[in-house]
Amino acid sequence: MTPSVPPTQQPPSRRIAEDLRRQIETGGLRSGDKLPSERALAEQYGSARNTAREAIRLLAEQGLVTAKHGSGVFVREPQRLFRFGSDRYSLKNRETGLTPFRLEAKRQGKVARIDVPSINREKPPADVAERLKVPAGEESVVHRENHYFADDEPVQIVSTYLRWDEAQDTLLMQAKTGKDGIYGRLEDLGHVMTRVRDEISARMPTPEEASILSLLPGVPVLEVLHTSFDQDGVPFEVSRYVHRADQTGLLYELPVES
């Protein structure tokens, strides 16, 4: 086990960053507060200006501060866009006419936006084919890729896979699928969601994911592989959710089986 480095032996930039981080955590610096300039920090800590600049970079990598061009560096407001578990597909929520993401955003005072960059017939990834019960070596699925934003900040990428033989020639091939979103159209096809399975893991993003989600270096993603089952126990939709971990929390309230 690697021993920790005593504070006195830490690089000056890290010592400055640690002190500022403690001030943020204890409320000495609050969300929205402007940090002193690099020059002021250098004078305060008796360091070089580039050392203060490196300290600010370390705080930015931790997601604690954000730079606003021409204005300075500010303490970042903690943001969590929760993906609700058992609640997000409930009938009472469906009756609002909003998709799960739009409802989650509205509950937290955020403005939702969903971009649909592609809808294609494809061969499914192996894990999707296994869960959707379709051939992996054939173009057996429609892949809908959606990019989700809250207050114009990217928060998740969703790749949804549906059976091609069901989705072709329907609104499921269109960016706008009508009231209740894709689940409304899937109900039109006879699939009423009665059970879901979410497989959750954490990992580092791919370069493409990091670009789409505007991730700072070192920020991981949460991946949720979601499968929907209908009234007959048939899997009818598989979606891969890639959430930026600094903007997402997962909340699940589930009954305890006897």
Side-chain angles (χ1 to χ4, degrees), residues 8-28:
T8 55
Q9 296 180 22
Q10 289 183 338
S13 59
R14 189 167 295 277
R15 291 204 303 272
I16 296 172
E18 285 295 307
D19 185 56
L20 293 171
R21 180 179 62 79
R22 281 192 294 270
Q23 292 183 52
I24 293 171
E25 291 177 345
T26 58

Side-chain angles (χ1 to χ4, degrees), residues 132 140-142 144 160-164 167 172 186 236-237:
L132 197 54
S140 56
V141 299
V142 170
R144 299 175 55 95
T160 294
Y161 299 89
L162 309 168
R163 291 189 180 85
W164 165 250
L172 293 168
L186 288 164
F236 63 91
E237 172 248 348

Side-chain angles (χ1 to χ4, degrees), residues 37-50:
S37 67
E38 292 175 3
R39 183 186 301 276
L41 284 173
E43 292 177 357
Q44 178 182 343
Y45 289 95
S47 68
R49 188 168 174 177
N50 64 336

Side-chain angles (χ1 to χ4, degrees), residues 90-226:
S90 67
L91 180 60
K92 70 178 192 302
N93 286 341
R94 289 282 305 281
E95 290 173 347
T96 66
L98 297 174
T99 61
F101 179 80
R102 291 189 185 279
L103 183 58
E104 289 167 2
K106 182 180 179 181
R107 285 175 169 175
Q108 296 171 71
K110 298 178 183 295
V111 177
R113 188 180 98 234
I114 304 172
D115 293 347
V116 186
S118 63
I119 303 174
N120 296 311
R121 183 182 182 181
E122 295 179 0
K123 295 179 181 178
D127 55 354
V128 171
E130 178 184 358
R131 287 156 181 79
L132 197 54
K133 311 290 186 192
V134 295
E138 303 174 14
E139 293 185 342
S140 56
V141 299
V142 170
H143 171 201
R144 299 175 55 95
E145 179 163 334
N146 293 353
H147 299 168
Y148 289 72
F149 300 79
D151 292 343
D152 287 326
E153 191 162 10
V155 292
Q156 64 186 32
I157 303 166
V158 182
S159 298
T160 294
Y161 299 89
L162 309 168
R163 291 189 180 85
W164 165 250
D165 58 5
E166 292 186 324
Q168 61 177 317
D169 301 323
T170 73
L171 284 174
L172 293 168
M173 299 297 298
Q174 304 298 320
K176 295 184 178 180
T177 55
K179 185 177 182 294
D180 296 333
I182 67 167
Y183 294 115
R185 306 295 69 75
L186 288 164
E187 283 193 5
D188 294 342
L189 295 173
H191 297 297
V192 178
M193 187 190 306
T194 59
R195 182 169 63 91
V196 302
R197 181 174 64 211
D198 284 355
E199 302 168 61
I200 303 167
S201 58
R203 60 175 173 81
M204 298 307 296
T206 65
E208 182 181 11
E209 291 167 345
S211 176
I212 293 171
L213 294 173
S214 301
L215 293 177
L216 293 168
V219 176
V221 294
L222 293 174
E223 180 177 305
V224 180
L225 187 59
H226 166 89

Side-chain angles (χ1 to χ4, degrees), residues 34 67-74:
K34 184 178 179 180
K68 297 182 180 180
H69 183 67
S71 299
V73 178
F74 297 82

